[in-house]
Amino acid sequence: MDEAATRVLLSEFGASLFARGFSVGSAGNISVRLPDGYLMTPTNSSLGRLDPDRLSKLDRNFQHIGGDKPSKEVFMHRAFYQARDDAGAVVHLHSTQATAISCLPDVDQSNPIPPLTPYFVMRVGRTMPIVPYYRPGDAAMEPAIHAAARDARAILLANHGPVVSGKTLTDAVYAAEELEEAAKLFLMLRGQSPRLLTAAQVDDLLTTFG
Ligand code: 13P
């Protein structure tokens, strides 16, 4: 897919996520790796009203070279791209249920959501840790995110929200959507004893679907 088509797709996904309440106001940011750099949503932009022609363009060193000023979360996105060769896109949302889990101190901080459904495992993977709280835009978050992203396609930033990577923009958006559904199920089933997928079933999913 060329850059022009990627700009349109990113804006369409932003509008879709916004329309369905995955982000509100100017919350959230999305980036995509290109052969010569990155596209990123501008800071303070609403995902619901992105202009493909005004998306921020960064070079391979994450320097701003075109479009509007990029998200203040460049460090968060850079941490994922530098930790994961397989990351072709990164989606950060404040989606409600995943963010709710990021606020819970009594869940397993190394992997709060158990394997409840196949699609969560297939899209998000085996583990998704909670990374300690940092002020939005704080460059100090980068080492912590980098370390967590080496072993996980997605993380929850404590008291803030999910950050999800994928091989493609479509993969990253689908994973962010599955994560929010899994978070909803987890919260619905809290205090109950749901049947979980077994380790063998998780292995089978990851072997079959990658
Ligand atoms: P930006 O508007 O700078 O992308 O920040 C939004 C956000 O979600 C901060 O975490």
Side-chain angles (χ1 to χ4, degrees), residues 109-126:
Q109 302 294 298
S110 67
N111 200 20
I113 302 182
L116 288 165
T117 65
Y119 267 72
F120 176 64
V121 174
M122 287 154 56
R123 301 277 186 219
V124 176
R126 203 185 292 273

Side-chain angles (χ1 to χ4, degrees), residues 26-30 41-45 70-73 76 92-94 136-137 157 160:
S26 64
N29 31 71
I30 302 174
T41 49
T43 190
N44 295 323
S45 58
S71 169
K72 68 173 92 59
E73 306 288 26
M76 171 199 286
H92 166 55
L93 300 171
H94 299 171
L157 275 174
H160 186 167

Side-chain angles (χ1 to χ4, degrees), residues 87-157:
V90 174
V91 174
H92 166 55
L93 300 171
H94 299 171
S95 54
T96 309
Q97 325 263 347
T99 304
I101 295 173
S102 83
C103 300
L104 292 175
D106 63 339
V107 294
D108 178 356
Q109 302 294 298
S110 67
N111 200 20
I113 302 182
L116 288 165
T117 65
Y119 267 72
F120 176 64
V121 174
M122 287 154 56
R123 301 277 186 219
V124 176
R126 203 185 292 273
T127 54
M128 183 201 56
I130 298 177
V131 170
Y133 174 80
Y134 291 88
R135 170 175 48 75
D138 184 352
M141 73 175 76
E142 188 164 359
I145 295 180
H146 188 278
R150 277 203 297 260
D151 299 323
R153 276 181 241 164
I155 62 164
L156 294 181
L157 275 174

